[in-house]
Amino acid sequence: MSTRKNNKSKKPATNGSRTNGSRRNAGYGALNPKSEDLAKNMEESAGEFLTSDQGIRINDNQNSLKAGNRGPSLLEDFLLREKITHFDHERIPERVVHARGSGAHGYFQVYESMAQYTKAAFLQDPSIRTPVFVRFSTVAGSRGSTDLARDVRGFAVKFYTQDGNFDLVGNNIPVFFIQDAIKFPDLVHAVKPEPHNEIPQAASAHDTFWDFISLMPESMHMIMWVMSDRAIPRSFRMMEGFGVHTFRLINDAGKARFVKFHWKPLLGLHAVVWDEAQKISGKDPDFHRRDLWEAIENGDYPEWELGVQIVEEKDEFKFDFDLLDATKIIPEELVPVQRIGKLTLNRNPDNFFAETEQVAFHLGNIVPGIDFTNDPLLQGRLFSYLDTQLTRLGGPNFHEIPINRPVAPVHNNNRDGFMRQTINRGQTSYDPNSLRGGCPFQAGMDMSGFTSYAERIDARKIRERSPSFFDHFSQATMFFNSQSEVEQNHIVKALRFELGKVETLPIRERMLALLAQVDKTLANKVADGLGISVPTKLDRPMNMSIPADGDPKKFQPKRVKAEMDVSPALSMANNLGDAVKTRKVAFLVGDGFDDTSLLEMKQALLTAGAKAMTVAPHLGVLMGQDGELVKADFSLLTASSVLFDAVYVPGGQASIASLLQENESTNFVLEAYRHCKTIGAAGAGAELLRAAGLPLPAITDGSNGGDTEPGVVVGDGDIKTLAAGFIEAMSLHRHWGRESTETQTGEQPLMNNRVSEEARV
Ligand code: HEM
């Protein structure tokens, strides 16, 4: 042993007190060592000859080899065969879940050393930038499905740390549908398209999903989240991430603490509305992917802070829920989230397949200083990822694919298998050996050798669920209680939609009975929408797991008295952040626009960090009344209000007249209004709003006071004042009051959807 240690310690020391000198790139300077590593595999064909896979220059890539120019193709044509064969094998299986995703490169930096809690190398030194690759995903849909499905979003982060890869494979929702991994295949079979007709794609609104859920009371907390606006985010950049399970942090002294991981987006939490989500799915199914890509290309690098909730081991049982139960959160009000570092995404992948598709996350990729708990969902996941990737990526060597390989060096006795890239030198591939002096040798704990936390276990082997997992409703109720009125209404509508698509009546009824356990008003409102009533009692026992001793008291569900019934941190309305920065504003413009009202608003929005894009009756260049030339970014046919955050109509009689020639222009404004977006107009621009049937305020200076309509900002004078009012209105994200008018009266608030005759110019 002493020889091994001496060998190791001869290598140069790295940052601070750490002695793991063999770690390549430790101290990561300005450059991203993972990007440098990936560069070794990059191919760039600019200025190069076309070649075969064997490097032979190709003279004719247009014609196959034939006997005569009308003759049969010849088997001899190795170029044809190579090209077609490669093409024939281009596809690999998509992920069994989370197939649809988008990725980006970036880095993570801790704010200050977390040595007190963990020895994880990447959490020690604020000067170290640890490279990361992040993949966001939906769960149910296939690879080509829409980004805007109502669904959980995956939030998987691979940290290429100096001690090896650490994967934090989380979601944008902090709890899960099930408590035990043995139910995962059932859950996924239920939510995926139904097996007899493969309908519907990327949607939970169908019988099999709700059949399963209605028999699984443990899913009720998750259902509240998935029916909330969290499941239709405005952007990946505007959603939280969660490690979901309770993990462990271990410090140098071997002391362990429980930890929950959080990602907090610096842009705040924002969603679209359901009608909008469905329309985006048609207008731009790549909406989230495009948003992430464009933000990074524009230098608007998405950022999240890493948060931790730390619980001392002695406090494991002090909560009224079990820390090992993945259907529960630790309310932030009970254990505050400490923000310990920042994740920045600053580079788009070079090749979607090579990076985003081939990246393989695995919960089991952990580093010294982090460890698992006995959460039975977590434990099952530990098996699943590596197992599924063996098939998805075609064998045991996918850790060598550039996006997956660590920046930390890899030395072991694993050998061979399909597509092996590493050329292992030397005579030995076993341990212990004497022929290589025992190399590669085991690392002591002081050399960053991983050791599992020595948790004491004293138990019977048994298939049983702990009664401490049986309260399926208290936190579901807490989540519902914590939502604003608007958010609660959205949950009601989402459930009416989803259950409205269910064809089997008893499934709807069972769901209503479960919802009544969460909140009676909620259940009644959903029942009203379905035209049925809430059953008076819940079928019991549900979710039959028969206790080994047959004791009926051990049947779930069982509500306990919860310590908290409201957690304000759970409402997106309390986490608005910055709703202006990076947002897209559509400028509806035609030829003859008022130059000042366009240019000054555009400048004000740019200064506030927002983007202005022109949408016009035709593509090409538009001319203002004073001669300003502006490029049309979109025509009314290629754009849609659902792809923007706000709408502004500059003045100019001729511009408005040309817009009014197109029905799409008034539809654009009206739809944005119905989706509660900020709408602004300068001078004659107000005529377009009026033509769309908007309840217009009197012309104001934009300060929007008095009895004017919230979020509709109209001005006739100073554009700077109008812009200030417009940006202030945008900062609220949406003006939900418009929805409650609809809900209360049951009518559309608007007069009509047509362009009024008198508004036509
Ligand atoms: C807290 C619960 C869970 C969370 C947060 C979660 C999260 C994720 C994420 C983010 C991905 C996508 C990874 C990527 O972008 O490549 C993923 C994929 C996957 N998950 Fe989970 N998952 C959970 C539960 C489970 C369970 C219980 C199982 C199985 C027992 C499972 C099996 C899988 C599989 C097979 C994949 C596909 C992996 C691949 O092909 O690369 N997950 N999961």
Side-chain angles (χ1 to χ4, degrees):
M1 266 315 272
S2 63
T3 325
R4 292 178 173 188
K5 209 167 173 179
N6 286 343
N7 278 349
K8 187 85 172 178
S9 58
K10 277 186 197 147
K11 295 180 178 173
T14 55
N15 52 314
S17 60
R18 298 193 68 80
T19 50
N20 52 346
S22 70
R23 299 309 193 190
R24 209 162 16 129
N25 289 311
Y28 306 150
L31 295 173
N32 180 321
K34 186 59 198 172
S35 299
E36 286 174 40
D37 175 57
L38 290 172
K40 292 177 212 151
N41 288 75
M42 283 176 191
E43 184 270 345
E44 178 56 72
S45 57
E48 301 290 347
F49 286 112
L50 179 73
T51 75
S52 74
D53 281 343
Q54 305 303 319
I56 295 156
R57 287 185 187 169
I58 295 174
N59 163 261
D60 183 347
N61 192 35
Q62 320 306 323
N63 299 294
S64 55
L65 190 67
K66 293 184 274 297
N69 60 9
R70 298 183 63 249
S73 300
L74 300 179
L75 188 60
E76 178 194 319
D77 190 348
F78 65 98
L79 292 174
L80 171 74
R81 280 187 287 113
E82 179 194 86
K83 188 172 177 183
I84 301 255
T85 305
H86 201 281
F87 169 76
D88 290 347
H89 298 272
E90 275 175 9
R91 294 286 171 271
I92 63 168
E94 64 175 32
R95 289 169 177 83
V96 62
V97 281
H98 295 263
R100 168 85 187 166
S102 308
H105 294 274
Y107 61 89
F108 173 80
Q109 243 171 326
V110 71
Y111 289 146
E112 54 188 53
S113 171
M114 295 297 289
Q116 181 193 351
Y117 300 110
T118 176
K119 59 187 173 187
F122 76 106
L123 295 176
Q124 305 300 310
D125 183 347
S127 72
I128 292 184
R129 284 183 167 193
T130 300
V132 299
F133 187 76
V134 177
R135 183 174 180 269
F136 303 105
S137 48
T138 52
V139 178
S142 56
R143 227 189 107 176
S145 58
T146 172
D147 281 344
L148 265 289
R150 173 175 293 285
D151 201 350
V152 189
R153 298 299 182 289
F155 193 131
V157 183
K158 190 180 282 293
F159 297 80
Y160 302 93
T161 89
Q162 60 212 73
D163 276 354
N165 288 352
F166 167 53
D167 292 357
L168 186 51
V169 196
N171 280 341
N172 75 329
I173 289 179
V175 288
F176 204 63
F177 295 96
I178 50 172
Q179 296 173 322
D180 191 311
I182 202 165
K183 299 309 299 166
F184 192 70
D186 298 301
L187 167 73
V188 175
H189 289 171
V191 73
K192 284 271 183 180
E194 298 193 4
H196 58 306
N197 56 11
E198 219 187 39
I199 297 174
Q201 180 55 244
S204 51
H206 59 109
D207 281 44
T208 55
F209 177 70
W210 288 101
D211 184 25
F212 176 76
I213 294 297
S214 70
L215 297 167
M216 292 289 288
E218 70 199 53
S219 64
M220 228 24 63
H221 187 196
M222 180 69 169
I223 287 298
M224 288 298 110
W225 285 80
V226 179
M227 293 299 114
S228 80
D229 293 346
R230 301 264 183 167
I232 40 172
R234 158 65 182 80
S235 158
F236 294 138
R237 303 177 292 126
M238 297 164 203
M239 62 185 201
E240 285 179 297
F242 303 91
V244 182
H245 311 283
T246 304
F247 290 85
R248 280 193 168 89
L249 292 180
I250 323 280
N251 67 14
D252 244 332
K255 182 168 170 49
R257 293 175 176 88
F258 295 109
V259 64
K260 291 264 193 194
F261 293 109
H262 298 244
W263 291 112
K264 300 278 188 187
L266 293 194
L267 289 177
L269 304 184
H270 303 281
V272 299
V273 297
W274 179 230
D275 178 63
E276 196 184 358
Q278 292 175 90
K279 288 175 175 158
I280 294 172
S281 290
K283 298 281 182 183
D284 185 7
D286 305 305
F287 185 73
H288 285 154
R289 176 175 289 185
R290 191 185 308 283
D291 170 273
L292 179 67
W293 180 275
E294 287 180 351
I296 293 174
E297 290 301 299
N298 292 335
D300 293 325
Y301 299 141
E303 294 173 316
W304 289 260
E305 287 184 309
L306 178 64
V308 289
Q309 286 176 296
I310 294 177
V311 175
E312 297 292 335
E313 277 203 315
K314 66 176 171 43
D315 293 334
E316 178 173 3
F317 300 108
K318 87 168 193 189
F319 303 100
D320 49 32
F321 53 87
D322 197 320
L323 287 179
L324 303 185
D325 174 358
T327 66
K328 305 295 185 299
I329 57 164
I330 309 178
E332 292 188 25
E333 292 78 5
L334 284 185
V335 179
V337 176
Q338 305 176 39
R339 299 181 180 223
I340 65 165
K342 198 168 74 177
L343 165 72
T344 306
L345 298 182
N346 63 356
R347 187 166 79 78
N348 278 316
D350 287 291
N351 183 287
F352 185 92
F353 179 83
E355 300 174 80
T356 310
E357 195 58 17
Q358 291 201 111
V359 68
F361 294 95
H362 174 27
L363 203 71
N365 293 344
I366 50 165
V367 288
I370 300 176
D371 213 329
F372 314 117
T373 60
N374 297 328
D375 171 345
L377 192 69
L378 182 162
Q379 293 286 324
R381 292 181 73 196
L382 288 178
F383 169 73
S384 184
Y385 290 75
L386 181 55
D387 179 52
T388 191
Q389 285 151 5
L390 287 172
T391 302
R392 183 166 77 80
L393 297 166
N397 288 318
F398 61 82
H399 61 281
E400 294 183 336
I401 296 174
I403 193 67
N404 293 325
R405 72 183 169 219
V407 293
V410 175
H411 300 287
N412 58 40
N413 296 311
N414 296 339
R415 288 292 185 275
D416 308 347
F418 284 115
M419 307 298 165
R420 183 69 174 177
Q421 311 286 304
T422 309
I423 302 169
N424 298 102
R425 302 181 68 199
Q427 190 181 1
T428 64
S429 52
Y430 54 88
D431 171 62
N433 69 66
S434 67
L435 294 176
R436 286 204 129 185
C439 295
F441 43 83
Q442 299 174 144
M445 281 173 74
D446 58 338
M447 295 285 169
S448 303
F450 183 85
T451 46
S452 288
Y453 175 64
E455 182 182 0
R456 188 181 171 78
I457 304 285
D458 178 14
R460 279 187 304 136
K461 191 160 53 171
I462 189 166
R463 286 190 191 274
E464 196 177 288
R465 207 156 302 182
S466 166
S468 57
F469 281 39
F470 284 7
D471 178 9
H472 306 317
F473 301 123
S474 299
Q475 288 209 348
T477 307
M478 177 178 76
F479 181 81
F480 189 69
N481 287 346
S482 309
Q483 305 301 296
S484 66
E485 197 183 330
V486 169
E487 289 170 311
Q488 289 189 343
N489 279 336
H490 289 179
I491 294 174
V492 170
K493 283 189 170 178
L495 282 160
R496 283 180 179 177
F497 176 90
E498 296 271 320
L499 296 175
K501 296 269 187 176
V502 167
E503 288 169 12
T504 311
L505 185 59
I507 297 177
R508 289 183 180 167
E509 288 174 338
R510 265 203 311 273
M511 271 315 302
L512 289 176
L514 276 181
L515 292 173
Q517 298 295 316
V518 177
D519 186 278
K520 288 209 167 52
T521 314
L522 165 69
N524 283 327
K525 283 188 175 174
V526 177
D528 285 349
L530 299 176
I532 52 179
S533 47
V534 181
T536 46
K537 68 176 182 48
L538 186 65
D539 287 347
R540 291 177 70 126
M542 303 185 82
N543 186 16
M544 293 283 286
S545 62
I546 301 167
D549 57 8
D551 179 356
K553 287 200 291 297
K554 289 193 185 159
F555 282 124
Q556 45 182 308
K558 194 168 71 185
R559 187 185 270 270
V560 300
K561 172 91 194 79
E563 191 176 339
M564 289 180 56
D565 53 13
V566 177
S567 164
L570 298 179
S571 165
M572 290 173 77
N574 294 333
N575 292 283
L576 274 191
D578 188 334
V580 177
K581 217 169 154 192
T582 78
R583 295 307 185 95
K584 287 184 179 169
V585 182
F587 279 33
L588 294 187
V589 211
D591 285 306
F593 59 84
D594 171 58
D595 308 50
T596 313
S597 68
L598 184 146
L599 295 175
E600 288 195 358
M601 179 64 89
K602 186 172 176 182
Q603 188 50 51
L605 286 168
L606 283 179
T607 308
K611 309 251 172 294
M613 282 158 169
T614 44
V615 179
H618 63 81
L619 289 174
V621 176
L622 303 157
M623 186 183 282
Q625 60 195 19
D626 295 329
E628 186 69 29
L629 296 178
V630 170
K631 180 175 156 282
D633 295 308
F634 301 95
S635 78
L636 282 162
L637 287 180
T638 62
S640 162
S641 84
V642 295
L643 307 177
F644 297 89
D645 295 287
V647 181
Y648 171 64
V649 191
Q653 284 295 345
S655 166
I656 301 308
S658 73
L659 285 166
L660 285 171
Q661 298 300 316
E662 314 284 337
N663 266 342
E664 285 84 3
S665 63
T666 43
N667 288 344
F668 200 104
V669 172
L670 183 60
E671 191 175 51
Y673 178 85
R674 286 200 167 137
H675 294 149
C676 306
K677 295 175 182 173
T678 297
I679 295 172
E687 287 174 28
L688 187 70
L689 273 47
R690 238 176 243 118
L694 261 58
L696 267 198
I699 299 289
T700 69
D701 61 359
S703 56
N704 217 21
D707 57 357
T708 57
E709 167 79 12
V712 181
V713 186
V714 179
D716 204 9
D718 177 28
I719 302 297
K720 287 194 175 63
T721 315
L722 176 73
F726 186 75
I727 290 167
E728 194 188 327
M730 272 184 74
S731 72
L732 297 174
H733 177 57
R734 297 289 165 101
H735 305 279
W736 299 116
R738 294 179 205 159
E739 275 192 346
S740 54
T741 323
E742 285 185 46
T743 316
Q744 281 157 22
T745 61
E747 295 165 359
Q748 300 295 345
L750 304 167
M751 301 300 291
N752 63 54
N753 186 356
R754 282 176 292 119
V755 178
S756 63
E757 282 310 313
E758 58 278 20
R760 283 192 189 279
V761 184

